[in-house]
Amino acid sequence: MRDIKLVEVRSEIAAGTRGASLGIDALKIASLDKLSDFFTRFDPINVQDANNYLWKGNRHPQAKYIEGVYQVLKNVHSTIESLRLDKKFPIILAGDHSTAAGTIMGIKAAHPEKRLGVIWIDAHADLHTPYTTPSGNMHGMPLAMCIHTDNLDCQVNEPMEETVQYWEKIKNIGGNFPKIKAEDIVFISVRDTEEPEDYLMRQYGIKNFTTEEVRALGVEKVAKSALELIKDCDQVYISFDVDSLDSSISVGTGTPVPNGLTVEEALKLNAELIKDKRVCCWEIVEVNPTLDTENLMAENAFDILEATTRSLVENF
């Protein structure tokens, strides 16, 4: 069986609303309510966050709390690199989605010779940079960090010099080169993007399987097609943001968007994708119980987490 290691990242400084750092404990409460032994089966490792920067105030309008984001990404990078070198399979429970960049950087650092494909199940493309962001929230930037782009063709902001210096340091965690090729990204259910992100998706031909396509083609065919698109990759990383779920059921997350997946579709999709032997890491992010009622988002997310892990174990 895969040597699974749970990784807990309670970072929320890159999100636009507070509370995502509590998502991991909300998942644990959901597991208790469901009488599951999930959290007794896998020893977790905690990655140091930098949420204390929230008390200091933000000095970077185009990349909020970027000093803290840099620290967290370095911590995640080193943790994931060590786990992958030790042949562990990380299942990551994280707060805000910016930390995914550290995960990608860590996977690449452990095996720099291996080409890494990314399946990004999310309402958002997360391809913004400090030069293009409309909000300054860095959970909208992790994939741009990893493909090493500033996207100056679509520049609308003039970030401060110190912001740019931190942005360059972030892109260079693990080495001064792109950690993934943009064409090795596959989106599923992305539906809330801005023009700078659309520009990059067109430029690199990044495929997005819409919610409508998931329904029309069926989960199994979409999973197979997504994996086929990155057939030349040696490794695959799957990142599941709970805002990929429809806003009618994803109240407990910072940026819910209509026309998303059902819980059943997301559960089947992740369970199917993780059967591929190239998958080396899986992640679930952005559960925010402070926005929820009766912990419903965490309960749905936990069902997906448990089913995906079961599929991983059974299909090794």
Side-chain angles (χ1 to χ4, degrees), residues 14 16 58 60-64 66 126-142 144-145 149-152 154-160 163 167 193-197 200:
N58 173 53
H60 299 270
Q62 273 80 47
K64 295 175 183 175
I66 192 169
D126 294 342
L127 281 167
H128 274 297
T129 77
Y131 301 95
T132 67
T133 175
S135 69
N137 297 326
M138 294 194 73
H139 67 168
M141 304 184 191
M145 299 169 185
T149 186
D150 297 330
N151 196 11
L152 297 179
C154 300
Q155 181 173 359
V156 293
N157 302 323
E158 289 285 351
M160 299 184 307
T163 305
W167 176 247
T193 59
E194 283 81 36
E195 175 51 32
E197 297 176 301
L200 291 175

Side-chain angles (χ1 to χ4, degrees), residues 85 104 128 132 150 213 220 258 307 311:
L85 285 171
I104 291 169
H128 274 297
T132 67
D150 297 330
E213 284 180 277
E220 286 189 6
S311 180

Side-chain angles (χ1 to χ4, degrees), residues 8-307:
E8 301 179 354
V9 190
R10 288 176 170 79
S11 177
E12 66 167 73
I13 55 172
T17 52
R18 304 281 62 86
S21 62
L22 305 173
I24 295 163
D25 294 313
L27 287 168
K28 293 182 177 181
I29 290 168
S31 78
L32 290 172
D33 290 344
K34 293 172 180 288
L35 305 178
S36 169
D37 68 346
F38 182 88
F39 286 100
T40 67
R41 290 163 50 210
F42 307 105
D43 290 330
I45 182 170
N46 283 285
V47 178
Q48 181 64 44
D49 64 62
N51 293 333
N52 59 306
Y53 277 86
L54 291 167
W55 304 105
K56 300 177 182 180
N58 173 53
R59 298 187 293 111
H60 299 270
Q62 273 80 47
K64 295 175 183 175
Y65 305 105
I66 192 169
E67 320 100 300
V69 172
Y70 172 60
Q71 293 296 329
V72 175
L73 294 188
K74 283 205 305 179
N75 295 343
V76 174
H77 157 262
S78 60
T79 300
I80 299 303
E81 179 185 15
S82 296
L83 290 175
R84 290 300 298 146
L85 285 171
D86 203 23
K87 296 182 168 54
K88 304 284 195 231
F89 187 105
I91 289 182
I92 301 169
L93 316 179
D96 77 70
H97 212 170
S98 72
T99 63
T103 299
I104 291 169
M105 292 161 180
I107 295 170
K108 188 65 176 176
H111 298 99
E113 77 287 357
K114 293 185 177 181
R115 185 169 167 182
L116 177 61
V118 174
I119 296 180
W120 199 260
I121 309 169
D122 196 325
H124 307 92
D126 294 342
L127 281 167
H128 274 297
T129 77
Y131 301 95
T132 67
T133 175
S135 69
N137 297 326
M138 294 194 73
H139 67 168
M141 304 184 191
L143 288 177
M145 299 169 185
C146 292
I147 65 172
H148 238 239
T149 186
D150 297 330
N151 196 11
L152 297 179
D153 289 348
C154 300
Q155 181 173 359
V156 293
N157 302 323
E158 289 285 351
M160 299 184 307
E161 184 178 345
E162 188 184 3
T163 305
V164 172
Q165 290 171 353
Y166 269 109
W167 176 247
E168 292 302 316
K169 286 166 70 174
I170 283 174
K171 288 190 298 178
N172 293 336
I173 293 172
N176 183 11
F177 54 86
K179 309 311 182 293
I180 53 173
K181 297 181 177 183
E183 54 266 36
D184 290 338
I185 299 168
V186 180
F187 289 133
I188 300 179
S189 202
V190 167
R191 57 197 185 277
D192 185 11
T193 59
E194 283 81 36
E195 175 51 32
E197 297 176 301
D198 295 335
Y199 173 84
L200 291 175
M201 290 168 70
R202 289 192 303 269
Q203 181 181 11
Y204 293 107
I206 301 173
K207 170 63 179 173
N208 176 36
F209 291 93
T210 64
T211 304
E212 291 79 8
E213 284 180 277
V214 173
R215 305 229 163 105
L217 298 172
V219 166
E220 286 189 6
K221 188 163 185 183
V222 166
K224 183 178 179 181
S225 298
L227 291 162
E228 177 66 19
L229 284 169
I230 49 175
K231 66 180 184 299
D232 294 331
C233 294
D234 307 299
Q235 299 186 112
V236 175
Y237 157 65
I238 302 168
S239 190
F240 173 69
D241 187 324
V242 297
D243 71 20
S244 61
L245 299 171
D246 188 74
S247 55
S248 64
I249 48 178
S250 66
V251 176
T253 191
T255 47
V257 181
N259 195 31
L261 303 171
T262 66
V263 174
E264 188 65 19
E265 287 166 341
L267 188 152
K268 288 181 177 177
L269 179 63
N270 282 286
E272 192 65 31
L273 287 167
I274 208 165
K275 293 176 183 178
D276 192 293
K277 298 297 185 280
R278 295 172 299 157
V279 177
C280 64
C281 180
W282 184 86
E283 171 182 68
I284 186 167
V285 302
E286 295 277 2
V287 174
N288 187 337
T290 67
L291 303 172
D292 208 359
T293 305
E294 298 181 351
N295 211 29
L296 182 60
M297 180 77 261
E299 294 204 351
N300 287 327
F302 178 74
D303 286 344
I304 295 166
L305 166 64
E306 191 169 45

